Amino acid sequence: MMPHVLTRSLDRSATVFLIVVAAIGVLIPLSNLLLPAGSLLQVPTYLVALSGKYTCYAILALAIDLIWGYCGILSLGHGAFFALGGYAMGMYLMRQIGSRGVYGNPVLPDFMVFLNYPKLPWYWNGFDMFWFAALMVVLVPGLLAFCFGWLAFRSRVTGVYLSIITQAMTYALLLGFFRNDFGFGGNNGFTDFKDILGFNVQADGTRAALFALSCVALIIGFLICRAVVTSKLGKVLIAIRDAESRTRFLGYRVESYKLFVFTLSACMAGVAGALYVPQVGIINPSEFAPGNSIEAVIWVAVGGRGTLIGAALGAVVVNYAKTYFTSGPLAPYWLFMLGALFILVTLLLPRGIVGTFNSWWDPWKAQRITASAASAAREDGVSEPDMAE
């Protein structure tokens, strides 16, 4: 039943998108592992890790587009859920280091030994088991989103006020995780990871597997989002986005719908953060920075709000541009370029890349279908009645 629900929502463009992601998830790892180094078609290991990073950002963009593009909830704090998922995975990776750390303590991570922690804090218990860490990756961001959303939506906080308090939430977490006595490494965060599920996290094979897993997560996340937005639930979400008061007047419990989709979006962001950490090799409080959440919103705006495919595409395009421009003489001006990009997209392409393409393509497609139908009718000897007659 569940596979049918996920696949029946696919149209041609969604199917093509999934095929492309699946092909990339297979070909890039195989190219990296099977072809000799220096070969024209061989993908270097650093590009595999970079592609995995982009894929995680695409999952985060999908999560934001689900609530912003289809429900009108503009969250400027989704970087918090992304970072919490990353920290949950980072805690597991730190527990896997054991006695191979700098101080050789089999239980306490290096930063705890350095800060003279007498024992492991209680909230670190269980993170030596992967299944527990994987559960926390989803549960912690989801629980925070549920509590935050229940208070905010029940109080009917909407619009710019909701955006401001989501930003305040992630900034509060930023300040908390910067503290050394918070138990999460302070300013330095977590790094120097060794193993994940018994495999060397720095090995080429592990990096290729993590990238492939990120592509699988992107496909699953896209299918879930498509299943939501093309269902009756999705129609209610769009109604809430376009006319929340009228939807409430019709008898729908708007707060419950918004709370559900906000929590689901946070869980997706947490999974993206968990996949991000072992591929980049570090997690620190800078991931909570409000600017990161704002930048993620720009990805969705550039790609196309309310399109899903555009959100993922925007994340890849903007981050590729960031990688390219921040490694050259234009690096000091990247933030100005990003701001200019957002302004230009807002003024010239308000629907984003994919949304603008769809607005051009759909009328042409409809005209072509009409012309084909008229041509087929003429060939069959059927003609439309003359209005003059």
Side-chain angles (χ1 to χ4, degrees):
M1 181 65 180
M2 182 58 68
H4 175 64
V5 171
L6 294 178
T7 56
R8 70 183 180 184
S9 62
L10 300 180
D11 55 15
R12 181 178 298 179
S13 59
T15 303
V16 171
F17 173 78
L18 293 177
I19 292 174
V20 170
V21 173
I24 291 174
V26 172
L27 295 178
I28 289 183
L30 291 179
S31 173
N32 174 256
L33 297 175
L34 300 181
L35 297 180
S39 173
L40 181 62
L41 299 179
Q42 200 262 353
V43 179
T45 301
Y46 81 93
L47 280 181
V48 175
L50 189 62
S51 300
K53 179 180 174 182
Y54 293 163
T55 306
C56 295
Y57 285 153
I59 300 172
L60 175 60
L62 278 179
I64 294 175
D65 194 28
L66 179 63
I67 59 171
W68 185 34
Y70 291 93
C71 195
I73 303 173
L74 177 55
S75 170
L76 297 182
H78 251 55
F81 306 126
F82 181 85
L84 286 173
Y87 264 95
M89 180 55 65
M91 292 168 73
Y92 164 77
L93 295 172
M94 293 298 289
R95 292 296 305 273
Q96 299 305 301
I97 296 175
S99 58
R100 292 173 293 175
V102 175
Y103 297 101
N105 192 302
V107 177
L108 297 180
D110 286 338
F111 75 88
M112 291 187 182
V113 178
F114 178 77
L115 295 173
N116 297 318
Y117 274 67
K119 62 179 182 179
L120 194 71
W122 64 268
Y123 46 85
W124 277 74
N125 293 326
F127 279 95
D128 55 333
M129 299 176 288
F130 180 80
W131 69 267
F132 182 82
L135 180 63
M136 292 299 106
V137 162
V138 177
L139 186 60
V140 173
L143 184 60
L144 175 61
F146 181 85
C147 295
F148 176 88
W150 188 83
L151 293 171
F153 301 140
R154 183 170 176 267
S155 302
R156 298 192 181 182
V157 179
T158 58
V160 66
Y161 303 103
L162 180 66
S163 301
I164 291 173
I165 62 174
T166 56
Q167 198 169 40
M169 174 192 67
T170 189
Y171 189 69
L173 289 170
L174 169 69
L175 296 179
F177 276 77
F178 258 119
R179 295 175 60 91
N180 288 328
D181 58 356
F182 212 55
F184 296 101
N187 183 47
N188 296 320
F190 304 150
T191 189
D192 193 30
F193 306 133
K194 306 295 184 183
D195 297 333
I196 180 170
L197 291 174
F199 297 97
N200 183 359
V201 75
Q202 301 294 335
D204 291 352
T206 306
R207 290 186 177 276
L210 287 170
F211 170 72
L213 183 61
S214 300
C215 291
V216 172
L218 177 59
I219 290 173
I220 294 175
F222 181 81
L223 287 173
I224 292 174
C225 291
R226 284 285 303 182
V228 169
V229 302
T230 57
S231 65
K232 294 181 180 178
L233 169 62
K235 291 180 173 60
V236 176
L237 295 179
I238 294 174
I240 293 172
R241 179 197 67 188
D242 296 338
E244 181 173 335
S245 322
R246 293 184 179 183
T247 307
R248 182 179 286 108
F249 180 76
L250 290 173
Y252 290 98
R253 298 187 62 180
V254 170
E255 294 78 14
S256 299
Y257 286 95
K258 294 171 76 172
L259 181 60
F260 168 77
V261 74
F262 189 72
T263 304
L264 174 62
S265 176
C267 292
M268 289 180 57
V271 172
L275 292 169
Y276 170 85
V277 168
Q279 297 187 81
V280 300
I282 189 172
I283 178 72
N284 57 42
S286 65
E287 296 297 336
F288 286 100
N292 291 345
S293 298
I294 296 173
E295 189 173 333
V297 170
I298 295 177
W299 306 340
V300 178
V302 170
R305 173 189 171 195
T307 61
L308 294 181
I309 296 176
L313 178 63
V316 174
V317 169
V318 175
N319 280 284
Y320 175 79
K322 181 178 181 179
T323 302
Y324 180 81
F325 287 110
T326 55
S327 59
L330 296 176
Y333 309 103
W334 164 247
L335 291 179
F336 297 101
M337 296 169 62
L338 184 64
L341 175 64
F342 183 62
I343 293 173
L344 290 174
V345 166
T346 302
L347 295 177
L348 303 179
L349 295 176
R351 299 180 180 178
I353 297 173
V354 173
T356 302
F357 174 79
N358 289 339
S359 66
W360 293 342
W361 170 261
D362 290 342
W364 179 84
K365 183 179 178 181
Q367 184 178 5
R368 184 178 177 184
I369 292 175
T370 303
S372 299
S375 176
R378 285 194 298 269
E379 291 178 359
D380 293 339
V382 179
S383 60
E384 296 182 359
D386 190 352
M387 297 300 297
E389 297 178 359

